[in-house]
Amino acid sequence: MLSKPEGQHLDYKQSISNQRKIAKTLLAFANTDGGTILVGISDKKNIIGIDPEEEIFMVNEAIRKYCHPPFTVTFEVFELQLQNQLDPLILDEKYVLAVAVPKSMGGPHALQVNDNPPVYYLRIKDRSLPVDLADLS
């Protein structure tokens, strides 16, 4: 997957630090054609590594709190052994999380924050953009 650029079906994230922000990407994939978010990878495709349990928690909470109606994603954790930058004889263990978001048949799905009006997102090329509900039909 690292050979592919970010685009309509793929997004790289170093980590998930903001549930509302990741909810936008999840919603955009679900409302468009589905896609995969690779967590633990920089935009320059460097493997940063993450704590998979923390990232899974953040994704699940983002869906629970902000995605209405909620939908299901699947997770796959990859354990990588990479050469240490300072000592090539030492291997560093790093984890990358793949979050697979299927195209939803139960949508459209909206970002819902408190009593604010719902905001709908679509994935257009490598961006998750807000759209009018009419654009989703």
Side-chain angles (χ1 to χ4, degrees):
M1 280 192 145
L2 287 177
S3 65
K4 298 178 184 177
E6 285 186 312
Q8 187 77 21
H9 304 283
L10 182 62
D11 196 26
Y12 297 114
K13 299 286 184 200
Q14 269 188 230
S15 64
I16 300 170
S17 58
N18 184 311
Q19 292 173 0
R20 188 184 307 182
K21 187 174 175 184
I22 196 64
K24 294 175 185 180
T25 304
L26 294 162
L27 288 162
F29 280 141
N31 285 334
T32 312
D33 295 323
T36 301
I37 302 168
L38 288 179
V39 185
I41 308 288
S42 73
D43 285 336
K44 294 183 179 185
K45 298 184 187 177
N46 293 322
I47 298 169
I48 306 300
I50 45 91
D51 174 354
E53 290 179 15
E54 178 63 26
E55 305 301 329
I56 290 169
F57 172 80
M58 293 291 280
V59 169
N60 284 329
E61 283 296 290
I63 293 169
R64 185 184 69 77
K65 289 181 184 176
Y66 299 111
C67 300
H68 298 281
F71 49 88
T72 302
V73 299
T74 57
F75 301 101
E76 188 171 357
V77 177
F78 297 94
E79 180 181 339
L80 306 170
Q81 302 290 327
L82 304 174
Q83 281 186 331
N84 182 286
Q85 297 288 339
L86 301 175
D87 185 349
L89 298 177
I90 297 174
L91 292 178
D92 289 333
E93 188 176 271
K94 300 213 177 181
Y95 294 94
V96 172
L97 176 68
V99 183
V101 184
K103 177 179 180 171
S104 176
M105 299 300 145
H109 301 273
L111 181 77
Q112 187 70 55
V113 181
N114 302 322
D115 293 330
N116 295 325
V119 180
Y120 298 89
Y121 287 84
L122 284 178
R123 187 74 176 181
I124 300 170
K125 297 185 180 177
D126 64 346
R127 306 211 34 222
S128 299
L129 301 173
V131 297
D132 290 327
L133 180 57
D135 295 335
L136 295 171
S137 29

